Amino acid sequence: MSTKMKAAVLHAPRDVRVDDVDVPSISDPNDVLIKVEMSAICGTDLHPYEGRIEIEGGVVLGHEFLGTVVDAGEAVGLVEPGDRAVASCVVNCGHCWTCRRGDPGRCVGSRIFGLGIALGDLAGAQAEYVVVPNADLTLRKLPEEIRSSDEDLLFVGDIMTTGYEAVRRAIQPGDVVAIVGAGPVGLCAAMSAIALGASATIVVDKIASRLKEAERLGAIPINADEADPVDVVLELTGWRGANVVIDAVGHESALVSACNLLAAGGTLSVPGVYMEESVNIPFGDLWLKGVKIVTGVANIVNYMDEVIQLTEAGKLSPAGIISHRMGLSEAPEAYRMFEAHEATKIVLDPSR
Ligand SMILES: [Zn+2]
Ligand SMILES: [Zn+2]
């Protein structure tokens, strides 16, 4: 094995280069070294790319990946060299108070691949190799004979499971589910709602191509530029509103729309990312409706097994979200396209 590898390295905002860097090696008995076969660009990668989160120069980007195990520390029991695996984008400690309570999204020791020192100093996976810490908790071994596809299973560690959890912890069988935002997480939430027994799944956005994808998945699309989503949802639900509303955007205007779509006694689920100290929402209305709110960083490791099983059963197939497949060597162009909304989802192949 060569001691150098190619990696997508962020030098400064909007300055991604494909550099030769040292191949990482395992240093802890719980580590695993993965040879990366596929690595996606995620909306979260745009935070450092656009300079909205400041990270030190020289960070290898990427946290949504799958590949083959090439080395495993002596304490690792789940996988051995030759096994194929997918990783959670967040590495949890597994033994803090919130992890022990089954709520690893709140883990105080959480680290994320490829987002710099402030988020745990883990090199990212838009590279030929990546080290995965705490592998028994972070990784899931893939079946030897995959019935779905690698491209479907790639998203288990991030967007698919984030969308799934947003629905899973809010839905009851027969619920009407409305999703505000048809980006990758919104589309994954739509697939999940259908798989988990929604009686109707409604997706609100303003971009026609995204709404078309939502419709292809079996959801009812609403273009917010053409119709008032509140009117359409009320009409579809006998003037009740949706039992579950997902804000898959992470912006005040989306959150307000989500509140307005909710039925009395419904659940507002917010996987969208909020860094603001406060947002202006119609709280009196939520109080009157008696709604429940679920939110926060997704508990990825809790739901990866369910998502793999449903994917293998053909009930979740997020590969349809992929709009571009490019070589790792094209990473600078891929980031430019992704930022310019010329691509919904880009998957990079480190072998080219
Ligand atoms: Zn991500
Ligand atoms: Zn923890």
Side-chain angles (χ1 to χ4, degrees), residues 1 22-28 31-33 71 130-131:
M1 197 168 105
D22 289 336
V23 173
S25 56
I26 62 176
S27 57
D28 182 281
D31 287 352
V32 155
L33 180 67
D71 196 7
V130 63
V131 169

Side-chain angles (χ1 to χ4, degrees), residues 93-96 99 107-108:
C93 81
H95 47 253
C96 71
C99 279
C107 172
V108 289

Side-chain angles (χ1 to χ4, degrees), residues 42-45 63-64 89 158-159 345:
C42 175
T44 304
D45 293 323
H63 56 263
E64 199 167 33
C89 59
D158 189 355
I159 56 165
K345 192 74 184 172

